Amino acid sequence: MKLLRAVLLVAFATTIGAVGFLYSGLYPMGADTAHTGPVYWALETLRERSIARAIRDIEAPDLSDPQLLLAGGPDYNDMCAGCHLKPGRSASDLSQGLYPQPPNLAEASDDHSHAHDPAISAARQFWIIKHGIKASGMAAFGPTHDDERIWALVAFLQKLPELTPAQYQILTARDAADSGASRQSHSDTGHGEAPKPNLDPTDQSAVKALDAFTHALRSGDAESALTLLSPQVLIYEGGGAERSRDEYLDHHLKADMAFLSQARIDIRNRVVQKVGTAVVVLTESRIEASSQDQPVSLLNTETAVLEFGAEGWQITHLHWSSRDRAQTQ
């Protein structure tokens, strides 16, 4: 009886002490202060055992389909890259400010993965993306994304550690059909995006590279735009020529990006042709913008030549030409 009384007394005192500690506010909850070792171990163990149990019946589909890779890339760039980074980046304001710090998914899986079996790793990624993780900053995307879209994101994650920055930019460019109104610009002409025609994978990846260049300009991302240009790119515009990537950087790049925010493009036609090892993309569009505070309405044509090399698809030639719509009426 004395032993039972002692046990109950200890249990009561422990409970009172625990409740008192909870209400004391002494435990630091700021994300810039790490958990104590025992607390971190308990939360990590609870999380991993819960996930392992939840994914037992999840079977991954075939993730090698290139269409899944192309579909998952834009979602990763929009939803995940701010925290989980991309090739060429080791940190961001978000990744450094969150606790626990989110894994860099652009690194090899051995650096961050809790499962080395590909099927288990894929199932784990699917469950986490769909359901999120409580009190970690990891959102649940299941309420807004169906399973097919989440599996496409998982397929992209499988390839992400192998991508160069240029390849990443190509695979994450979002089609105009997904992003709403196509907006693009050029000081004399527009170079916009269009929904893809029915292309084979080689043609489609080349068009993705061109759209990635467009997206980088629209976003004001000069570095990414330049990686998609060949060092010896030849650019014709407004009766002049720029004969290298460096010349474009020194001359028209800033003006092109500055024009983006107030220019809208309606792409009317796009033709894709193979010429030897190159892919030629011909685009006709209409651009509405302003110049010197005056509205302008232009008819534009763009010719882009892309070739595949060590850095993936790069643009080797661009020709932009435009005229005032009023002159054609």
Side-chain angles (χ1 to χ4, degrees):
M1 184 62 70
K2 288 183 180 180
L3 179 60
L4 178 59
R5 227 182 271 149
V7 170
L8 291 175
L9 184 60
V10 170
F12 179 74
T14 301
T15 301
I16 293 297
V19 171
F21 180 73
L22 288 176
Y23 277 89
S24 71
L26 291 174
Y27 191 85
M29 290 302 294
D32 54 352
T33 302
H35 284 308
T36 62
V39 171
Y40 187 89
W41 172 84
L43 293 175
E44 180 89 352
T45 302
L46 179 65
R47 183 191 70 202
E48 292 306 313
R49 295 307 304 155
S50 176
I51 294 173
R53 184 177 184 276
I55 67 173
R56 286 183 301 186
D57 297 327
I58 296 177
E59 294 186 11
D62 180 11
L63 300 178
S64 62
D65 184 349
Q67 296 304 317
L68 281 178
L69 183 66
L70 293 171
D75 275 348
Y76 179 86
N77 194 55
D78 290 347
M79 303 180 332
C80 313
C83 295
H84 295 288
L85 308 176
K86 57 187 178 180
R89 295 201 66 184
S90 59
S92 69
D93 289 345
L94 280 174
S95 71
Q96 294 179 92
L98 285 172
Y99 182 81
Q101 191 168 16
N104 182 351
L105 298 181
E107 294 179 342
S109 60
D110 286 347
D111 294 333
H112 59 75
S113 179
H114 293 263
H116 296 281
D117 183 294
I120 295 176
S121 178
R124 186 176 187 277
Q125 289 172 339
F126 174 83
W127 189 92
I128 291 173
I129 295 168
K130 183 171 183 176
H131 299 285
I133 302 290
K134 288 177 175 149
S136 70
M138 177 63 207
F141 290 102
T144 54
H145 295 66
D146 60 27
D147 285 1
E148 183 179 359
R149 193 168 175 185
I150 293 174
W151 279 121
L153 188 51
V154 173
F156 181 79
L157 291 177
Q158 308 301 303
K159 294 293 184 182
L160 178 57
E162 305 170 14
L163 301 180
T164 66
Q167 291 168 336
Y168 174 88
Q169 188 70 15
I170 291 169
L171 290 173
T172 58
R174 191 173 288 283
D175 297 347
D178 294 330
S179 58
S182 178
R183 298 171 58 202
Q184 191 47 261
S185 73
H186 198 269
S187 52
D188 284 326
T189 179
H191 22 84
E193 297 173 84
K196 307 291 186 295
N198 187 19
L199 304 172
D200 67 35
T202 298
D203 294 344
Q204 189 172 37
S205 63
V207 173
K208 288 283 284 185
L210 180 60
D211 286 345
F213 174 72
T214 298
H215 180 75
L217 288 177
R218 181 169 52 226
S219 304
D221 186 352
E223 181 180 357
S224 295
L226 291 172
T227 64
L228 294 164
L229 293 177
S230 165
Q232 292 78 41
V233 65
L234 176 61
I235 301 176
Y236 290 156
E237 54 177 323
E242 292 159 328
R243 303 181 185 280
S244 71
R245 183 167 61 192
D246 289 341
E247 280 192 26
Y248 181 60
L249 171 62
D250 292 339
H251 297 149
H252 285 93
L253 176 61
K254 289 183 179 179
D256 288 353
M257 292 192 298
F259 193 73
L260 289 172
S261 62
Q262 49 83 42
R264 295 183 63 86
I265 283 191
D266 177 16
I267 293 181
R268 300 305 180 88
N269 188 40
R270 172 170 274 179
V271 177
V272 182
Q273 300 176 340
K274 282 185 178 177
V275 180
T277 59
V279 172
V280 180
V281 184
L282 310 170
T283 305
E284 301 172 39
S285 60
R286 176 176 138 187
I287 185 168
E288 305 289 341
S290 64
S291 178
Q292 299 178 345
D293 297 326
Q294 296 296 318
V296 293
S297 181
L298 304 171
L299 296 177
N300 302 281
T301 60
E302 173 192 74
T303 301
V305 180
L306 299 97
E307 297 189 37
F308 191 84
E311 296 298 320
W313 287 102
Q314 287 189 313
I315 301 166
T316 59
H317 174 59
L318 283 168
H319 185 185
W320 295 305
S321 178
S322 66
R323 59 177 173 171
D324 195 319
R325 285 187 64 222
Q327 297 176 0
T328 65
Q329 296 175 352

